[in-house]
């Protein structure tokens, strides 16, 4: 097999695999999760754990969030539009970039308001923060959820946070 054919086949397989990953659901075009320090080969780089619970009941989504946050932060987005959801996902990327293990849970829309989202930050299986955002305040989601995530991690996992030297 010639190199050109092998590259084409491999490129097609790789592109198909990327299209199927949950991370592809949200763009990583934002300047988040860009490590500037080299990481030792033996250390695995953190990634956002993406979970969708949109087809579950509210209680089912809460169970998913609690389970996902046993040893990490979980940012839970209830409803909202794509812009608000993306900003919350970008906050999760920021937290991971800081070394804070983070899950992102897309939950069902339980308030029924078009473009509005309710968000929670879970840590150690417990909700630690709540917020609500309308489409006009999407620019506030990322910094606020990032700060809420740091505060929740500080409260629930102080020894792990101290090791990060934030």
């Amino acid at each position: 097999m010639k190199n050109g054919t092998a590259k084409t086949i491999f490129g097609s397989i790789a592109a198909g695999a990327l299209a199927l990953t949950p991370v592809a659901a949200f763009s990583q075009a934002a300047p988040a999760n860009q490590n500037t320090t080299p990481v030792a080969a033996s250390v695995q780089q953190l990634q956002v754990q993406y979970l969708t619970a949109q087809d579950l009941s509210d209680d089912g989504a809460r169970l998913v969030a609690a389970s996902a946050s046993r040893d990490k932060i979980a940012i839970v987005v209830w409803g909202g539009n794509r812009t608000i959801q993306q900003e919350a996902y970008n906050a999760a990327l920021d937290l991971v970039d800081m070394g804070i293990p983070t899950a992102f849970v897309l939950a069902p829309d339980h308030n029924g308001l078009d473009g509005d989202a309710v968000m929670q930050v879970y840590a150690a299986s417990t909700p630690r923060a709540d917020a609500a955002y309308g489409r006009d305040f999407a620019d506030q989601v990322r910094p606020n959820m990032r700060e809420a995530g740091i505060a929740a991690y500080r409260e629930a996992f102080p020894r792990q946070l101290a090791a990060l030297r934030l």
Side-chain angles (χ1 to χ4, degrees):
M1 188 180 315
K2 295 190 177 215
N3 283 345
T5 306
K7 287 180 183 177
T8 303
I9 292 171
F10 177 74
S12 297
I13 292 170
L18 283 175
L20 297 175
T21 59
V23 174
F26 287 99
S27 165
Q28 292 187 5
N33 209 21
Q34 301 296 321
N35 289 326
T36 56
T37 56
V39 178
S42 63
V43 177
Q44 185 178 3
Q45 185 177 358
L46 291 176
Q47 293 184 358
V48 174
Q49 179 187 12
Y50 179 89
L51 301 163
T52 182
Q54 289 179 304
D55 295 334
L56 300 177
S57 67
D58 289 356
D59 287 338
R62 284 184 196 95
L63 286 173
V64 168
S67 177
S69 70
R70 281 192 317 257
D71 59 350
K72 66 176 79 75
I73 298 302
I75 295 176
V76 185
V77 180
W78 300 85
N81 62 22
R82 178 101 169 130
T83 301
I84 291 173
Q85 293 168 355
Q86 179 67 55
E87 288 301 312
Y89 186 78
N90 290 343
L93 289 171
D94 291 346
L95 291 169
V96 164
D97 198 37
M98 291 178 204
I100 298 173
T102 307
F104 177 82
V105 180
L106 199 53
D109 185 356
H110 70 284
N111 69 6
L113 299 174
D114 184 41
D116 290 352
V118 173
M119 295 184 199
Q120 293 180 296
V121 176
Y122 276 66
S125 300
T126 305
R128 307 285 174 151
D130 295 292
Y133 295 93
R135 69 181 80 116
D136 295 335
F137 299 97
D139 62 325
Q140 297 175 14
V141 171
R142 184 177 187 172
N144 291 349
M145 288 295 95
R146 180 177 50 235
E147 292 305 313
I150 293 169
Y153 197 69
R154 180 180 295 121
E155 182 181 328
F157 308 107
R159 287 166 63 200
Q160 290 89 330
L161 184 69
L164 294 176
R165 294 182 227 134
L166 291 179

